[in-house]
């Protein structure tokens, strides 16, 4: 019995010692595991690719940047609001400004147009009698002629007979003075000079071939006949333009007509002469609206004695003194506005201390200088994004908030967009996709013309991939040529017309800059700007082809840059051979 009592005591002591040594350790382990579970609830994301969500820290699988903790401070935001990290704000160089009432300081408006011949100074050289062109002294268009210069020699049976009548009438002019005067006047009506008529009369000889002299001075703008042609009385021989003055014709849109009046001072510039500016005055505003383009013609007469301006040359006008009809104008920079189809949107920064944003639809008025009038949608004191607007919009799309391309605010899957350039978003439950983008209905001809520009853009991109700056310059010139043939008269919608003009201008500036520099780094900066404006053009107008919108966050000194491609495979044009595959597809436009 005593033996069993000893065994029980030893067992009890062992259990007690085991509890003392291992019981607390177990509790600590449980507590430690609880903390571990708490830590694993922390998610990590990339500042430039917020769609990346991982349960632990590491590198972004897209760009290789360090992942950052997902901020939890966004709790309590409304459904349409979203927040960007301070790191993302800095990397994307997102800037904001306060909307203020008052008249715009920049009251200069820009117009695009072309140089044309001054019709008032033009003349048509005609033949005043029938006959055959024996000799043509003007051989090509563009040749300069002066008044009284010999242009052609004509054999005319009618004139031959009239000369014989003159010689006969001269011999009997004393007895038949009326007949004599009638014959002389007949020759004068055929534009023979007094000296020519007197020479025929005194010599008594008939000229078989009669010379034709220029009645005005100028430049031959069109040659209408060839040597040996038979011509009729009154038939035009040449068109002669006096280019000492020319017209600069500009298109003014319907909603801008009330901003202009005769007598306004105009500053004219052209890409052909970077440093040359010429002053002029608004001379004429067409009283009839062109219903196909919804524009009226505004005309400026320019002094062109140095012949710096050539007919057909593109020019830009800056007209100062533009005053809005509204006494108090709510104006915002044009860089703040995103335009798609019929919609204009901006992004509001809701909190001055927190980077919380929300999209807002607005209604625009006139564009004056680099600013837009805002008719509805904004209030004095609102803080809006003025730089990095596309980046903020991309963040809104990725977070499933309302955006330029997504009015309903459902989260889309980047790179799987639907037809006709409309973004298609698919829910987790595999619900039916829905389209949210608005596209302008335009003609296939316009889309085909825009497609030629896009093809040249692709050649530019390929040249940048190969670090071939000379090829970039040559492709830039070809793109400019195809850009000039895009016929904006195909755009019947006034807003679309106006939008294309602003895009065309910015595209032209970027491409022209690329063509004038041989530095590949500078060409890539201009290419970034070109990509932004051409992307917007393709999203709004379409080119009937699938286009991949790609992005690299490390381009442009880590500010990030987009580009367009015909293939899904990423080939980065911003780094050459060093980082060819850096980037991802952000959108597919069809």
């Amino acid at each position: 019995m005593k033996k069993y009592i000893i065994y029980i005591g030893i067992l009890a002591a062992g259990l007690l010692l085991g509890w003392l040594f291992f019981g607390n350790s177990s509790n600590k382990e449980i507590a430690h595991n609880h903390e571990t579970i708490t830590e694993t609830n922390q998610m990590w994301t990339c500042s430039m690719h917020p769609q990346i969500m991982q349960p632990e820290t590491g590198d972004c699988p897209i760009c290789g940047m360090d992942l950052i903790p997902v901020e939890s401070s966004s709790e309590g935001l409304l459904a349409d609001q979203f927040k960007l990290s301070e790191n993302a704000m800095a990397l994307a160089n997102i800037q904001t400004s306060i909307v203020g009432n008052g008249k715009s300081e920049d009251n200069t408006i820009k117009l695009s147009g072309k140089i044309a011949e001054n019709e008032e100074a033009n003349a048509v050289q005609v033949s005043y009698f029938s006959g055959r062109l024996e000799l043509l002294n003007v051989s090509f268009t563009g040749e300069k002629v002066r008044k009284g210069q010999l242009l052609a020699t004509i054999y005319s049976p009618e004139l031959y007979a009239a000369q014989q009548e003159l010689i006969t009438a001269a011999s009997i002019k004393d007895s038949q003075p009326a007949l004599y005067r009638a014959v002389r006047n007949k020759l004068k009506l055929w534009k023979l000079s007094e000296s020519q008529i007197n020479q025929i009369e005194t010599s008594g000889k008939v000229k078989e071939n009669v010379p034709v002299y220029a009645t005005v001075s100028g430049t031959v703008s069109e040659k209408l006949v060839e040597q040996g042609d038979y011509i009729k009385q009154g038939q035009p021989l040449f068109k002669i333009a006096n280019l000492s003055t020319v017209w600069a014709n500009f298109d003014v849109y319907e909603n801008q007509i009330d901003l202009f009046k005769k007598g306004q001072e105009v500053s004219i510039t052209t890409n052909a002469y970077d440093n040359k500016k010429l002053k002029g005055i608004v001379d004429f505003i067409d009283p009839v609206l062109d219903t196909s383009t919804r524009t009226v013609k505004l005309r400026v007469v320019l002094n062109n004695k140095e012949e710096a301006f050539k007919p057909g040359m593109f020019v830009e006008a800056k007209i100062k003194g533009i005053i809005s009809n509204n006494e108090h104008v709510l104006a915002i920079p044009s860089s703040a506005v995103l335009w798609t189809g019929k919609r204009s949107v901006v992004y509001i920064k809701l909190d001055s201390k927190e980077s919380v944003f929300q999209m807002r639809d607005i209604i625009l008025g006139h564009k004056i200088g680099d600013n837009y009038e805002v008719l509805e949608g904004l209030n004095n004191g609102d803080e809006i994004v003025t730089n990095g607007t596309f980046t903020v919009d991309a963040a809104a799309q990725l977070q499933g908030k309302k955006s330029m391309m997504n009015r309903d605010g459902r989260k889309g899957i980047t790179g799987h967009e639907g037809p006709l350039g409309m973004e298609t978003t698919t829910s987790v439950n595999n619900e039916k996709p829905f389209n949210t983008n608005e596209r302008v209905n335009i003609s296939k001809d316009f889309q085909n013309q825009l497609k030629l520009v896009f093809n040249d853009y692709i050649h530019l991109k390929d040249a940048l991939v190969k670090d071939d700056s000379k090829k970039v310059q040559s492709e830039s010139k070809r793109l400019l040529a195809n850009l000039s043939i895009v016929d904006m008269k195909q755009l019947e919608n006034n807003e679309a017309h106006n939008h294309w003009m602003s895009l065309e201008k910015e595209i032209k500036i970027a491409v022209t800059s690329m063509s004038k520099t041989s530095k590949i780094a500078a060409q890539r900066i201009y290419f970034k700007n070109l990509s932004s404006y051409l992307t917007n053009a393709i999203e709004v107008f379409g080119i009937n082809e699938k286009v991949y919108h790609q992005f690299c966050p490390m381009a442009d000194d880590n500010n990030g840059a987009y580009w367009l491609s015909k293939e899904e495979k990423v080939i980065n044009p911003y780094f050459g051979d060093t980082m060819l595959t850096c980037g991802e597809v952000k959108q597919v436009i069809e």
Side-chain angles (χ1 to χ4, degrees):
M1 183 67 179
K2 188 175 181 180
K3 180 180 178 180
Y4 289 109
I5 292 173
I6 294 172
Y7 288 153
I8 292 172
I10 293 172
L11 179 61
L15 291 173
L16 178 61
L17 290 172
W19 181 81
L20 290 173
F21 281 103
F22 300 104
N24 289 338
S25 176
S26 176
N27 288 339
K28 291 178 181 178
E29 182 66 29
I30 292 172
H32 175 71
N33 290 339
H34 177 73
E35 291 173 3
T36 302
I37 293 171
T38 301
E39 290 176 1
T40 56
N41 287 333
Q42 174 67 60
M43 298 297 290
W44 299 77
T45 186
C46 174
S47 60
M48 297 304 297
H49 301 92
Q51 74 271 29
I52 299 297
M53 290 289 176
Q54 294 187 0
E56 57 185 14
T57 186
D59 296 333
C60 174
I62 297 174
C63 65
M65 297 177 64
D66 293 336
L67 297 180
I68 60 175
V70 176
E71 296 185 10
S72 59
S73 59
S74 61
E75 294 180 1
L77 297 181
L78 297 178
D80 297 333
Q81 300 172 0
F82 60 97
K83 185 175 182 181
L84 295 180
S85 69
E86 293 301 322
N87 191 24
M89 291 277 292
L91 288 174
N93 192 26
I94 295 171
Q95 300 174 13
T96 61
S97 62
I98 304 296
V99 177
N101 259 330
K103 293 184 179 180
S104 172
E105 295 181 1
D106 182 9
N107 61 347
T108 300
I109 194 167
K110 298 178 182 178
L111 298 174
S112 297
K114 284 185 178 181
I115 295 294
E117 298 169 1
N118 184 345
E119 294 179 7
E120 295 177 344
N122 287 353
V124 177
Q125 185 75 46
V126 301
S127 173
Y128 293 93
F129 44 84
S130 302
R132 183 179 68 244
L133 275 172
E134 294 293 318
L135 182 64
L136 199 60
N137 294 78
V138 176
S139 55
F140 59 90
T141 301
E143 186 173 347
K144 291 184 178 181
V145 298
R146 65 184 183 279
K147 185 176 181 180
Q149 178 180 331
L150 179 63
L151 297 180
T153 302
I154 300 176
Y155 168 72
S156 172
E158 292 179 345
L159 198 54
Y160 189 90
Q163 292 179 75
Q164 290 180 326
E165 289 178 7
L166 174 64
I167 295 172
T168 303
S171 63
I172 57 172
K173 64 181 178 180
D174 294 333
S175 60
Q176 299 287 337
L179 176 63
Y180 171 71
R181 289 194 298 271
V183 172
R184 286 185 67 92
N185 288 335
K186 180 179 178 181
L187 292 174
K188 288 180 181 179
L189 291 174
W190 283 341
K191 295 301 179 182
L192 267 68
S193 65
E194 286 283 351
S195 60
Q196 286 178 304
I197 296 173
N198 291 336
Q199 185 180 5
I200 296 170
E201 182 179 340
T202 55
S203 66
K205 295 181 180 180
V206 176
K207 290 186 176 181
E208 293 185 358
N209 298 322
V210 180
V212 176
Y213 298 100
T215 56
V216 295
S217 299
T219 301
V220 176
S221 60
E222 190 173 355
K223 189 175 73 164
L224 303 172
V225 292
E226 296 294 339
Q227 186 168 303
D229 287 350
Y230 280 87
I231 56 175
K232 297 179 180 179
Q233 184 177 11
Q235 181 176 336
L237 305 178
F238 310 98
K239 289 185 179 179
I240 300 176
N242 187 341
L243 299 181
S244 59
T245 61
V246 292
W247 285 352
N249 292 323
F250 301 94
D251 289 320
V252 175
Y253 286 97
E254 189 173 3
N255 62 351
Q256 297 177 316
I257 294 175
D258 61 337
L259 297 178
F260 301 95
K261 60 183 179 180
K262 290 180 66 175
Q264 283 174 315
E265 186 176 278
V266 182
S267 177
I268 307 291
T269 57
T270 176
N271 289 333
Y273 311 102
D274 290 336
N275 300 321
K276 190 175 184 63
K277 293 183 179 179
L278 196 64
K279 298 292 183 180
I281 300 295
V282 175
D283 178 71
F284 174 77
I285 299 176
D286 199 330
V288 179
L289 180 77
D290 186 335
T291 56
S292 62
T293 62
R294 310 304 301 176
T295 62
V296 298
K297 290 291 183 185
L298 180 147
R299 186 171 72 212
V300 179
V301 180
L302 299 177
N303 188 319
N304 194 40
K305 290 183 178 179
E306 297 180 2
E307 298 188 358
F309 295 99
K310 318 293 184 184
M313 181 181 288
F314 287 106
V315 289
E316 182 180 83
K318 293 182 180 179
I319 302 179
K320 296 183 179 181
I322 298 296
I323 301 176
S324 171
N325 291 334
N326 302 324
E327 184 178 354
H328 296 286
V329 178
L330 193 65
I332 61 174
S334 57
S335 61
V337 180
L338 295 178
W339 192 91
T340 173
K342 300 177 181 179
R343 301 173 58 221
S344 298
V345 303
V346 296
Y347 279 93
I348 305 290
K349 189 170 185 285
L350 300 170
D351 192 329
S352 59
K353 297 181 180 179
E354 297 287 338
S355 303
V356 178
F357 299 92
Q358 183 176 7
M359 188 203 78
R360 185 174 295 178
D361 286 274
I362 61 174
I363 297 177
L364 299 177
H366 296 302
K367 185 178 182 183
I368 302 177
D370 293 327
N371 296 323
Y372 277 110
E373 289 181 354
V374 179
L375 304 180
E376 292 183 20
L378 288 177
N379 299 310
N380 187 25
D382 286 340
E383 187 173 359
I384 61 173
V385 177
T386 54
N387 189 67
T389 318
F390 277 103
T391 303
V392 175
D393 185 74
Q397 292 184 49
L398 291 169
Q399 295 185 38
K401 307 298 182 179
K402 285 186 178 181
S403 64
M404 176 179 68
M405 311 297 286
N406 188 349
R407 300 185 70 174
D408 296 332
R410 303 189 191 180
K411 190 168 183 177
I413 301 176
T414 306
H416 298 280
E417 285 74 12
L420 297 178
M422 298 182 179
E423 182 186 3
T424 302
T425 51
T426 308
S427 71
V428 177
N429 298 324
N430 293 322
E431 296 175 352
K432 184 179 179 180
F434 61 92
N435 295 324
T436 55
N437 184 30
E438 297 177 0
R439 168 164 291 181
V440 178
N441 291 323
I442 60 172
S443 68
K444 291 292 181 64
D445 289 339
F446 185 89
Q447 290 181 324
N448 291 333
Q449 292 165 1
L450 183 59
K451 187 175 181 178
L452 291 176
V453 175
F454 172 68
N455 290 335
D456 293 334
Y457 168 91
I458 293 299
H459 295 148
L460 266 178
K461 176 184 75 73
D462 294 340
L464 288 172
V465 169
K466 297 176 182 178
D467 287 330
D468 190 343
S469 62
K470 290 185 178 180
K471 184 71 171 176
V472 170
Q473 289 179 304
S474 62
E475 293 297 341
S476 297
K477 294 175 182 177
R478 185 164 70 171
L479 192 152
L480 285 172
N482 280 328
L483 183 66
S484 67
I485 66 174
V486 177
D487 185 8
M488 59 185 171
K489 292 182 180 179
Q490 303 279 348
L491 302 175
E492 297 180 359
N493 182 289
N494 187 36
E495 290 183 354
H497 213 282
N498 198 20
H499 186 61
W500 169 249
M501 279 195 71
S502 63
L503 286 176
E504 180 189 37
K505 172 193 166 186
E506 298 297 340
I507 290 172
K508 190 182 299 180
I509 290 173
V511 179
T512 301
S513 300
M514 293 178 72
S515 68
K516 291 184 177 181
T517 179
S518 59
K519 296 180 179 179
I520 196 76
Q523 289 174 337
R524 287 187 168 118
I525 293 174
Y526 296 128
F527 181 76
K528 176 182 177 180
N529 296 335
L530 168 63
S531 299
S532 175
Y533 294 112
L534 187 59
T535 297
N536 186 262
I538 292 174
E539 285 177 337
V540 174
F541 303 113
I543 58 172
N544 290 320
E545 181 179 339
K546 182 182 289 186
V547 178
Y548 295 90
H549 194 204
Q550 299 173 337
F551 176 75
C552 173
M554 301 180 71
D556 191 19
D557 293 331
N558 290 323
N559 288 318
Y562 287 86
W563 72 93
L564 299 171
S565 176
K566 286 190 173 185
E567 55 185 358
E568 188 173 3
K569 180 182 178 182
V570 172
I571 302 178
N572 192 318
Y574 293 102
F575 293 103
D577 293 333
T578 56
M579 297 177 65
L580 274 179
T581 59
C582 176
E584 63 172 333
V585 175
K586 282 290 189 181
Q587 182 187 5
V588 179
I589 309 170
E590 295 193 27

